[in-house]
């Protein structure tokens, strides 16, 4: 939907001392629509003091922001017939949030309309009121399921072509993301990510030295079992490495953080007893958790990512000792990033032997395992493990 940057005068939110949840949500949505990442914006808005909001209100802001961002295509379809001109970004943010409440949260019309109008930019309150009243009366007719469930066509088609009805179920399930329970130590880690950590531990019962090549924010590294005598957590991005260091300090201070390109690390040949490559990927299995990701990722990016995944696996093998275990995981389900990358890697390296995965949650997938998002209402995740025989 067309949008313009808002004019330079102050928005309503800066005029009040204690903003309401909806005011905070509109401001966050405005920033996200101009290109900022949803999780980053929410962390900035709700971190520390949380702008004076209660825990309940912060949860409501999160629901409004993540839900409106996720359902953007569906919501725009509802708004489209009643919008005749290009809108400022903050006005569009208010309208989208109002429509999301009406049709997805099923908020009673008077509350959704009145409360949204009261936090819309003052100059556009008449318009927001008029449009939302009309949207409230709409019985939606969806042109197709990609619009209804709010995915770009190419993602919808990719899942349907590869997985059929299971792909459809996966996509629908990612519109209601997992709410993971805290781990025993309080860290919040998704279930599928925990299963990867468990598989890493299970494949190396004697522990030793492990290198996590792509470690930030640190969920899997800090979940490694007690058998490991030394854990190295490597990350290329200095900002993410700082976040990783904080997590390490709070949850596993003995872990050594290293900042380097995982395709060219300072570790020597045969340094590690085990290496984990939890590779950067398209994240198409984690679209629930990252509400804006579906609007950013492109088909072309997947091909670029496989180049990095190849290079990371090559470096992992260099630093792995004979008889050591290599684990590759990605929170995506694309053929290219799972079977494509791993089969080509195995063909290049006859010294590798595939390991059978423990754990009934993994569906067999090429020589590895896979969880689709709707299997257990978790992230979609793929995993492959090998022993280096010589
Ligand atoms: C899927 S995330 C890792 C999640 C982490 N293992 C966890 O469980 O919390 C991938 C990470 O790889 C990092 N990364 C991307 N390219 C890299 C490279 N060439 N070398 C090392 N890390 C890289 C990204 O910055 C990102 O932090």
């Amino acid at each position: 939907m067309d949008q313009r940057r808002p004019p330079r005068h102050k928005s309503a939110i800066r005029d009040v001392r204690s903003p309401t949840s909806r005011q905070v949500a509109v401001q966050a949505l405005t920033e996200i629509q101009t290109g900022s990442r949803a999780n980053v914006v929410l962390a900035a808005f709700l971190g520390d003091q949380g702008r004076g909001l209660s825990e309940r209100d912060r949860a409501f802001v999160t629901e409004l922001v993540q839900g409106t961002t996720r359902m953007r295509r569906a919501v725009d379809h509802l708004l489209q017939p009643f919008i005749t001109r290009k809108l400022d970004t903050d006005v569009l943010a208010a309208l989208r949030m109002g429509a999301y409440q009406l049709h997805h949260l099923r908020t009673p019309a008077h509350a959704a309309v009145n409360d949204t109008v009261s936090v819309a930019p003052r100059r556009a309150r008449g318009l927001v009121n008029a449009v939302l009243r009309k949207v409230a009366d709409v019985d939606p007719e969806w042109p197709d399921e990609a619009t209804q469930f709010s995915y770009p066509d190419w993602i919808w088609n990719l899942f349907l072509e590869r997985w059929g009805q299971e792909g459809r179920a996966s996509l629908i399930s990612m519109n209601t993301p997992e709410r993971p329970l805290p781990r025993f130590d309080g860290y919040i880690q998704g279930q599928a990510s925990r299963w990867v950590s468990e598989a890493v531990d299970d494949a190396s019962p004697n522990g030793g030295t492990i290198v996590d090549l792509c470690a930030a924010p640190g969920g899997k590294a800090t979940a490694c079992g007690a058998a490991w005598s030394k854990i190295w957590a490597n990350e290329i991005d200095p900002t993410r490495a700082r976040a990783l260091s904080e997590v390490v300090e709070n949850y596993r201070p003995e872990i050594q953080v290293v900042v380097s390109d995982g395709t060219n690390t300072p570790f020597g040949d045969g340094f590690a007893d085990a290496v984990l490559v939890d590779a950067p990927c398209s994240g198409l299995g984690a679209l629930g958790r990252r509400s804006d990701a579906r609007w950013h990722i492109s088909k072309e990016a997947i091909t670029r990512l496989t180049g990095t995944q190849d290079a990371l696996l090559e470096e992992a093998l260099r630093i792995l000792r004979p008889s050591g275990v290599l684990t590759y995981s990605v929170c995506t389900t694309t053929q290219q990033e799972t079977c494509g990358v791993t089969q080509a890697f195995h063909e290049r390296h006859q010294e590798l032997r595939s390991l059978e995965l423990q754990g009934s949650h993994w569906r067999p997938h090429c020589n590895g395992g896979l969880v689709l998002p709707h299997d257990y209402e978790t992230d979609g995740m793929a995993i492959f493990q090998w022993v280096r025989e010589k």
Side-chain angles (χ1 to χ4, degrees), residues 108-119:
H110 64 276
V113 175
N114 294 346
D115 292 349
T116 305
V117 168
S118 71
V119 299

Side-chain angles (χ1 to χ4, degrees), residues 206-259:
N206 298 325
T209 296
I210 182 166
V211 176
D212 179 349
L213 269 192
C214 305
K220 296 184 189 68
T222 56
C224 282
W228 301 103
S229 50
K230 186 80 196 169
I231 304 171
W232 297 82
N234 181 76
E235 168 62 43
I236 193 171
D237 180 324
T239 308
R240 290 178 64 83
R242 270 198 295 283
L244 168 65
S245 295
E246 269 176 39
V247 169
V248 161
E249 208 170 293
N250 288 332
Y251 295 93
R252 248 349 235 284
E254 73 273 22
I255 293 180
Q256 189 73 38
V257 174
V258 178
V259 185

Side-chain angles (χ1 to χ4, degrees), residues 29-250:
L29 285 165
T30 304
E31 285 200 18
I32 293 163
Q33 283 172 190
T34 49
S36 303
R37 292 286 185 253
N39 288 346
V40 174
V41 171
L42 273 175
F45 276 45
L46 300 181
D48 290 338
Q49 317 280 311
R51 309 217 162 186
L53 296 172
S54 68
E55 198 168 316
R56 198 158 157 254
D57 285 345
R58 290 208 294 274
F60 186 46
V61 172
T62 303
E63 168 63 56
L64 287 175
V65 171
Q66 301 279 33
T68 304
T69 302
R70 201 176 287 124
M71 300 315 290
R72 186 183 293 172
R73 183 173 184 188
V75 154
D76 282 356
H77 174 77
L78 300 172
L79 292 168
Q80 196 82 58
F82 312 113
I83 294 177
T84 50
R85 62 181 168 85
K86 205 166 182 172
L87 298 173
D88 292 333
T89 313
D90 50 356
V91 177
L92 181 56
L95 281 170
R96 283 174 167 165
M97 188 183 81
Y100 173 70
Q101 291 170 87
L102 286 166
H103 280 276
H104 294 93
L105 292 187
R106 304 252 167 237
T107 309
H110 64 276
V113 175
N114 294 346
D115 292 349
T116 305
V117 168
S118 71
V119 299
R122 214 169 271 284
R123 65 188 184 284
R125 288 188 181 169
L127 172 104
V128 170
N129 184 39
V131 171
L132 288 184
R133 280 181 191 284
K134 289 182 193 146
V135 169
D137 290 335
V138 164
D139 188 7
E141 277 185 25
W142 303 105
D144 49 55
E145 288 200 313
T147 308
Q148 180 180 0
F149 295 108
S150 197
Y151 284 95
D153 288 335
W154 77 269
I155 294 182
W156 186 266
N157 294 337
L158 190 76
F159 272 75
L160 270 280
E161 279 159 22
R162 175 64 184 86
W163 301 105
Q165 284 308 302
E166 297 232 66
R168 179 178 181 277
S170 288
L171 289 161
I172 293 172
S173 111
M174 284 192 284
N175 281 341
T176 315
E178 175 190 13
R179 295 205 173 145
L181 294 172
R183 265 180 351 208
F184 75 96
D185 59 0
Y187 185 85
I188 299 195
Q189 181 182 20
Q191 182 59 61
S193 173
R194 290 191 202 195
W195 285 332
V196 171
S197 305
E198 284 169 20
V200 169
D201 285 348
D202 289 347
S204 302
N206 298 325
T209 296
I210 182 166
V211 176
D212 179 349
L213 269 192
C214 305
K220 296 184 189 68
T222 56
C224 282
W228 301 103
S229 50
K230 186 80 196 169
I231 304 171
W232 297 82
N234 181 76
E235 168 62 43
I236 193 171
D237 180 324
T239 308
R240 290 178 64 83
R242 270 198 295 283
L244 168 65
S245 295
E246 269 176 39
V247 169
V248 161
E249 208 170 293
N250 288 332

Side-chain angles (χ1 to χ4, degrees), residues 324-342:
V325 174
L326 170 52
T327 302
Y328 171 79
S329 57
V330 275
C331 58
T332 189
T333 60
T334 69
Q335 196 69 6
Q336 280 167 284
E337 298 168 278
T338 60
C339 303
V341 164
T342 56

